[in-house]
Amino acid sequence: MSHVIDALVEALGSRVRVGSDIPSRNHADASGLKPTAPQALILPQSTDDAATALRICHEHRQPVVTQGGLTGLAGGAHPQAGEVALSLERMSGIEEIDAASATLTALAGTPLAVIQQAADEAGFLCGIDLGARGTCTIGGNVATNAGGNQVLRYGMTRRNVLGLEVVLADGTVVRSLNKMLKNNAGYDWTQLFIGSEGTLGVVTRAVIGLHPKPQGLQTALCAVGSFEDALVVLRRFQQAHPGRLLVFEAMWREFMTVATEICGLAPAFEDEHDVTLLIEADMGADPAGTEAFSLLLGEFYEQGLIKDAVVAQSRADRNRFWAYRETPYEYGRFLPEEIRFDVSVPLNRMTEAVAHLRREMPKQWPDAVYVVFGHVADSNIHINVAVRDMDDAIKKGVQGLVYDLVSRLGGSISAEHGIGRIKRPYLSLSRTEPELALMRQMKQTLDPAGILNPGRIL
Amino acid sequence: MSHVIDALVEALGSRVRVGSDIPSRNHADASGLKPTAPQALILPQSTDDAATALRICHEHRQPVVTQGGLTGLAGGAHPQAGEVALSLERMSGIEEIDAASATLTALAGTPLAVIQQAADEAGFLCGIDLGARGTCTIGGNVATNAGGNQVLRYGMTRRNVLGLEVVLADGTVVRSLNKMLKNNAGYDWTQLFIGSEGTLGVVTRAVIGLHPKPQGLQTALCAVGSFEDALVVLRRFQQAHPGRLLVFEAMWREFMTVATEICGLAPAFEDEHDVTLLIEADMGADPAGTEAFSLLLGEFYEQGLIKDAVVAQSRADRNRFWAYRETPYEYGRFLPEEIRFDVSVPLNRMTEAVAHLRREMPKQWPDAVYVVFGHVADSNIHINVAVRDMDDAIKKGVQGLVYDLVSRLGGSISAEHGIGRIKRPYLSLSRTEPELALMRQMKQTLDPAGILNPGRIL
């Protein structure tokens, strides 16, 4: 046992686990990388515990990987050999809901779903929502600047964070549990830590701004002939009903084919269309709003902008519409090994991106199954590619094709899942050398010994 | 003439002015500090020019004050003796409006009003709006993270910025002219510079996200019996019509008294009320929305939540309602010298704050005229205090009263105007020592020679 582990055990007692006392769940995140046992697992019960742990690790130059809900796909929370894991799982709970300020203060290890439910019970909505809500934690959401389904309306996690408490690499605690929308007293240092994937500090508490609860949710599936038409639908909807659109998801033809022919869902429409949209809006408590939603879709149909549409009349309809969008979670049952991409492409280059994939994919890998879908209003698309007998060469080839394309079109190699370990080799495709130098400077300043999540991002 | 001025003139020719060639407008900003001629005025016409200037100043450790529209109240752009001024006024113009991405790219010296008009002509709305729109520049808005009237709906400047180009202290140009809502490829370094008041780098270009244009603007003046009732009105309006509220300004009793008795406006209502609200919402293109606005106010009246209300039936009505809110711009004509505060107070402490002022102001300065008003939905209030024969002792006393109060209630000494030189002595009231240490670390890293806006913020 090394000196640093001894020091940690002496300071934190049973809040430090070693060897077979470390649960296997802490050996891996959702990235698919090979599970690796950390040297020790630290389970702080307070900010002081976390500060003590980091102070000791800093003194011993001991690398630390921070863990939240372990749902990340980029390997940010996945242990590497020799690292100590710091899991925030015991720092869980909502400390305050301030109805007057419309804010919620929670410990970093609180699962997102717990926060969503508490906000709901207090008559508010939490603007952060993603598929992993039951498992992911608010600390992880902050660390990765998580996106999700409602970014169009409520923004990324960054926009929902009003205040933070962070433990720096050397154990210093910095706290600004600000509840105010406006606070320009000096640098907003909290911005540094949002989206830094645990490489600059460990988030221990967050103040989240809450939103009014939607009162008149309307959901529709719409078929359009092209992505350009989808964009016109998006802009005209926003013009007609400003602030009401919550969800605007696009699923390209190949996606719907996999949903029906491979995953077994019933076709959404009689004919095949190039893009199917899942649209959700909060039309307000007034029944006139509900009506206006269907009326506007009717107008789009008459104008030839949308080719077909169905509006949900019940919760069952809504679930049925969302089932298409959620088929990727089922791919594991139907498809050979797949690679999942999370990228951004400027909206005016999106059609070019899809056309390139349609041209190159079948040429290079004739049996490849590929789908394109995503939160297009945010420029964010997901591309899943499954190839039979996928080996490292094929994997590299597919990654090269996608990342080169994204880079050439001025997109980003990470829209919402971060860089972690997995995308690190590709970061220079989305960032220039002066940008990377600036990032390295920030890292060097805040974590001079390089103990926090080393090898992630930079 | 010093070596550094020689080097600047050699590199930049007529883009450097000295002595009487420096217009007096560049001797001061709107802070009211004593006008001071800078050693030289640099007028870059390109990012390269700005980079050349900073490289030379950095080599010579020459302090630089960056100037935009010079409308700031905190002294951030006001020259100090020995400083060279870098004015972005010749780097003005809109470079692109990308309708598909709903973004606008502009040079930093572009006046906000020019950006607003270009957005409008392209069918969009710029979410940043403030009183100084005709003069202030987008670079200054970014540098101060400007707030304004529509923060409730569109957020501070930070939320409207998608990409930046910045020249660092040593002349390095860092560029991320990102147009995408989602881009998690490494640290979002642009956040560092937003609100840093020119102390970490010079903003030369910005990509601004645009919004759909409001289609059904409704404006009302409402009288309420207490600030608590105002908050209920705010939350219920947001519940009933999510995403529609644009403006929610509160004006306390003393404010309305000054507006009518000193500035000569007609009383808004027959009776006096504790708080008058100016409410503006975009109810959408549908006439049902317009109707819903008045209906909801009617309900509030029946419930006793609002004591009286008028809804604008014309543009003239709207201007008449806004005239109350804009009386502070006229105070100079009617009142002795005044101090203007821009602070944040958590919403659940607001009544306590006003009660404290009402108790202490007349006790300490019996002839003081003070008003409280502001963007309360953002926790932001302005407090203006006029005292006859104001001297430094009175000034210090009033500042002490207000800043101590704000600090005790967990507020912020700067909501939207920044710290600059004027609020620097009070920064520790809103920030803890670990926060200030972190800010100093950021400054030291990015501007090791301390040449950028020295003495501002820190």
Side-chain angles (χ1 to χ4, degrees):
Chain A
M1 196 63 60
S2 72
H3 289 313
V4 59
I5 309 293
D6 289 344
L8 286 167
V9 171
E10 191 178 332
L12 296 165
S14 62
R15 282 153 287 173
V16 180
R17 294 189 182 187
V18 293
S20 59
D21 282 346
I22 301 174
S24 60
R25 67 178 289 276
N26 297 94
H27 294 198
D29 67 9
S31 60
L33 293 169
K34 193 168 157 282
T36 306
Q39 268 214 60
L41 171 65
I42 310 171
L43 295 163
Q45 293 182 336
S46 66
T47 303
D48 277 353
D49 284 353
T52 301
L54 285 184
R55 186 177 45 73
I56 294 169
C57 290
H58 188 256
E59 279 166 14
H60 290 80
R61 303 198 154 237
Q62 167 61 46
V64 180
V65 60
T66 302
Q67 297 186 331
L70 294 163
T71 58
L73 299 174
H78 193 95
Q80 298 182 112
E83 288 177 348
V84 156
L86 179 77
S87 169
L88 278 295
E89 62 200 78
R90 290 196 190 167
M91 286 185 66
S92 176
I94 289 155
E95 301 195 306
E96 188 196 27
I97 295 184
D98 175 345
S101 300
T103 60
L104 179 152
T105 307
L107 292 167
T110 313
L112 177 59
V114 171
I115 290 174
Q116 290 177 332
Q117 200 186 326
D120 185 72
E121 284 166 8
F124 292 97
L125 176 89
C126 170
I128 311 167
D129 184 44
L130 46 152
R133 62 186 75 79
T135 315
C136 69
T137 63
I138 191 67
N141 299 150
V142 172
T144 56
N145 187 25
N149 298 322
Q150 301 185 339
V151 170
L152 169 59
R153 178 66 186 88
Y154 303 111
M156 304 283 278
T157 296
R158 184 183 303 281
R159 204 210 278 174
N160 294 275
V161 174
L162 293 177
L164 284 185
E165 178 187 78
V166 173
V167 184
L168 302 182
D170 65 0
T172 305
V173 178
V174 196
R175 193 178 290 122
S176 173
L177 296 176
N178 171 59
K179 290 181 183 178
M180 298 166 295
L181 274 184
K182 284 186 175 171
N183 181 0
N184 272 342
Y187 309 151
D188 184 356
W189 58 264
T190 63
Q191 301 297 332
L192 268 174
F193 299 94
I194 301 170
S196 71
E197 303 184 42
T199 62
L200 300 180
V202 174
V203 173
T204 45
R205 264 186 182 81
V207 182
I208 305 298
L210 301 177
H211 304 275
K213 209 188 281 194
Q215 302 284 318
L217 199 64
Q218 292 288 301
T219 310
L221 272 185
C222 302
V224 291
S226 70
F227 182 69
E228 280 63 37
D229 284 352
L231 277 186
V232 177
V233 168
L234 172 66
R235 298 303 173 211
R236 290 209 192 149
F237 195 107
Q238 290 179 317
Q239 291 274 353
H241 301 291
R244 303 236 144 162
L245 213 49
L246 300 175
V247 168
F248 195 86
E249 298 286 311
M251 299 166 281
W252 271 263
R253 196 175 56 230
E254 296 81 357
F255 180 98
M256 293 305 275
T257 305
V258 170
T260 51
E261 293 180 8
I262 298 184
C263 301
L265 297 189
F269 302 107
E270 244 173 73
D271 299 323
E272 208 187 53
H273 300 278
D274 198 42
V275 179
T276 301
L277 301 171
L278 176 65
I279 299 178
E280 215 158 72
D282 172 16
M283 301 303 289
D286 193 328
T290 317
E291 218 175 297
F293 182 80
S294 298
L295 276 174
L296 186 60
L297 295 186
E299 273 177 41
F300 291 159
Y301 180 76
E302 278 165 31
Q303 293 159 357
L305 256 183
I306 59 179
K307 304 298 179 194
D308 210 340
V310 270
V311 176
Q313 303 300 325
S314 63
R315 180 175 282 265
D317 280 354
R318 182 176 180 246
N319 291 344
R320 198 163 51 78
F321 295 177
W322 272 95
Y324 295 102
R325 176 60 181 80
E326 287 172 354
T327 45
Y329 298 118
E330 307 292 319
Y331 284 180
R333 288 165 51 206
F334 301 103
L335 289 169
E337 195 185 352
E338 43 155 357
I339 321 181
R340 293 174 287 189
F341 296 95
D342 156 61
V343 297
S344 284
V345 173
L347 291 176
N348 59 356
R349 313 298 294 272
M350 201 66 93
T351 295
E352 201 178 333
V354 174
H356 186 82
L357 291 175
R358 285 177 173 165
R359 205 167 44 238
E360 293 302 320
M361 279 286 168
K363 205 192 287 177
Q364 298 194 35
W365 302 281
D367 72 342
V369 176
Y370 64 96
V371 301
V372 185
F373 62 106
H375 324 295
V376 290
D378 322 321
S379 330
N380 179 190
I381 50 170
H382 299 304
I383 304 167
N384 290 24
V385 183
V387 183
R388 205 169 302 281
D389 305 319
M390 172 107 66
D391 58 19
D392 276 357
I394 296 177
K395 215 176 247 180
K396 279 234 162 71
V398 173
Q399 284 172 338
L401 173 67
V402 172
Y403 289 138
D404 286 349
L405 172 66
V406 165
S407 167
R408 187 164 56 75
L409 298 180
S412 168
I413 61 157
S414 177
E416 53 178 11
H417 290 167
I419 296 298
R421 269 163 70 190
I422 289 184
K423 290 189 178 178
R424 190 184 144 200
Y426 302 97
L427 183 57
S428 63
L429 290 175
S430 282
R431 296 293 191 176
T432 61
E433 187 43 48
E435 290 186 274
L436 294 172
L438 187 52
M439 292 183 201
R440 282 190 290 264
Q441 261 188 312
M442 289 159 64
K443 172 73 176 172
Q444 174 64 29
T445 301
L446 284 161
D447 180 19
I451 64 164
L452 294 177
N453 275 11
R456 281 77 168 185
I457 302 185
L458 296 169
Chain B
M1 197 61 63
S2 72
H3 290 313
V4 59
I5 308 294
D6 288 345
L8 286 167
V9 170
E10 191 178 331
L12 296 165
S14 62
R15 283 154 287 173
V16 180
R17 294 189 181 187
V18 292
S20 60
D21 282 346
I22 302 174
S24 61
R25 67 178 290 275
N26 298 93
H27 294 198
D29 66 10
S31 59
L33 293 168
K34 193 170 159 280
T36 306
Q39 268 214 61
L41 171 67
I42 311 171
L43 296 163
Q45 292 182 338
S46 65
T47 303
D48 278 353
D49 283 354
T52 300
L54 285 185
R55 187 177 45 72
I56 293 169
C57 290
H58 188 256
E59 280 166 14
H60 291 78
R61 305 198 153 236
Q62 167 61 46
V64 180
V65 59
T66 302
Q67 297 184 332
L70 293 163
T71 59
L73 298 175
H78 194 95
Q80 298 181 116
E83 288 177 349
V84 156
L86 179 77
S87 170
L88 279 295
E89 62 201 78
R90 290 196 190 166
M91 286 186 65
S92 176
I94 289 155
E95 300 195 307
E96 187 196 27
I97 294 184
D98 175 345
S101 300
T103 60
L104 178 152
T105 307
L107 291 167
T110 313
L112 177 60
V114 171
I115 289 175
Q116 291 178 332
Q117 199 186 328
D120 184 73
E121 283 166 8
F124 292 96
L125 176 88
C126 170
I128 311 167
D129 183 43
L130 46 152
R133 63 185 76 78
T135 314
C136 68
T137 63
I138 191 67
N141 300 149
V142 172
T144 57
N145 187 28
N149 298 323
Q150 299 184 341
V151 170
L152 170 61
R153 178 68 185 86
Y154 303 113
M156 304 282 279
T157 297
R158 184 182 303 279
R159 204 210 278 174
N160 294 274
V161 173
L162 293 176
L164 286 184
E165 178 185 78
V166 173
V167 184
L168 302 183
D170 65 0
T172 305
V173 178
V174 196
R175 191 178 291 121
S176 173
L177 296 176
N178 172 59
K179 290 181 183 176
M180 298 167 296
L181 274 186
K182 284 186 176 172
N183 181 1
N184 271 343
Y187 309 151
D188 184 355
W189 58 264
T190 63
Q191 301 297 333
L192 267 175
F193 299 94
I194 300 171
S196 71
E197 303 184 42
T199 62
L200 300 180
V202 175
V203 173
T204 46
R205 263 186 182 83
V207 182
I208 305 298
L210 302 176
H211 304 275
K213 209 187 281 196
Q215 302 284 316
L217 199 63
Q218 291 289 302
T219 309
L221 272 185
C222 301
V224 290
S226 71
F227 182 69
E228 280 62 38
D229 284 352
L231 277 185
V232 177
V233 168
L234 172 65
R235 298 303 172 211
R236 290 209 192 148
F237 196 107
Q238 289 180 317
Q239 292 274 353
H241 300 292
R244 302 234 146 161
L245 213 50
L246 300 175
V247 169
F248 193 87
E249 299 285 312
M251 298 166 282
W252 271 263
R253 195 176 57 230
E254 295 81 358
F255 181 97
M256 293 305 276
T257 304
V258 170
T260 52
E261 295 181 6
I262 298 183
C263 300
L265 297 189
F269 302 108
E270 245 173 72
D271 301 322
E272 209 189 52
H273 299 277
D274 198 44
V275 180
T276 302
L277 301 171
L278 176 64
I279 299 178
E280 213 158 72
D282 172 15
M283 300 303 290
D286 194 327
T290 316
E291 218 175 298
F293 182 80
S294 298
L295 276 174
L296 186 59
L297 295 187
E299 273 176 42
F300 291 159
Y301 180 76
E302 278 165 32
Q303 293 159 356
L305 256 183
I306 59 180
K307 304 298 180 195
D308 211 339
V310 271
V311 176
Q313 303 298 325
S314 63
R315 179 175 284 264
D317 281 352
R318 181 174 180 248
N319 291 345
R320 199 163 49 78
F321 295 176
W322 273 95
Y324 294 102
R325 177 60 182 80
E326 287 171 355
T327 45
Y329 298 117
E330 307 292 320
Y331 285 179
R333 287 166 51 208
F334 301 104
L335 290 169
E337 195 186 351
E338 42 155 357
I339 321 179
R340 293 174 286 188
F341 296 95
D342 156 59
V343 296
S344 284
V345 173
L347 291 176
N348 59 356
R349 313 299 295 272
M350 201 66 94
T351 296
E352 201 178 333
V354 175
H356 186 82
L357 292 174
R358 285 178 174 165
R359 205 167 42 236
E360 294 301 320
M361 278 287 169
K363 204 191 289 178
Q364 299 194 34
W365 302 282
D367 73 337
V369 175
Y370 65 95
V371 300
V372 185
F373 63 105
H375 324 294
V376 289
D378 323 321
S379 331
N380 180 190
I381 50 171
H382 300 304
I383 303 167
N384 290 25
V385 183
V387 182
R388 205 168 302 281
D389 304 320
M390 173 107 64
D391 58 19
D392 276 358
I394 297 178
K395 214 177 247 179
K396 278 234 162 73
V398 173
Q399 285 172 337
L401 173 67
V402 171
Y403 290 138
D404 286 348
L405 173 67
V406 165
S407 166
R408 186 164 56 76
L409 300 180
S412 168
I413 61 157
S414 178
E416 55 179 10
H417 290 167
I419 297 296
R421 268 163 68 188
I422 289 185
K423 290 190 179 177
R424 189 184 144 202
Y426 302 97
L427 183 56
S428 63
L429 291 176
S430 282
R431 295 293 192 176
T432 61
E433 187 42 48
E435 289 186 273
L436 294 172
L438 187 51
M439 292 183 200
R440 282 191 289 265
Q441 261 188 312
M442 290 160 65
K443 173 73 176 171
Q444 175 62 28
T445 302
L446 283 161
D447 180 19
I451 64 164
L452 294 177
N453 273 13
R456 281 78 167 183
I457 301 185
L458 295 170

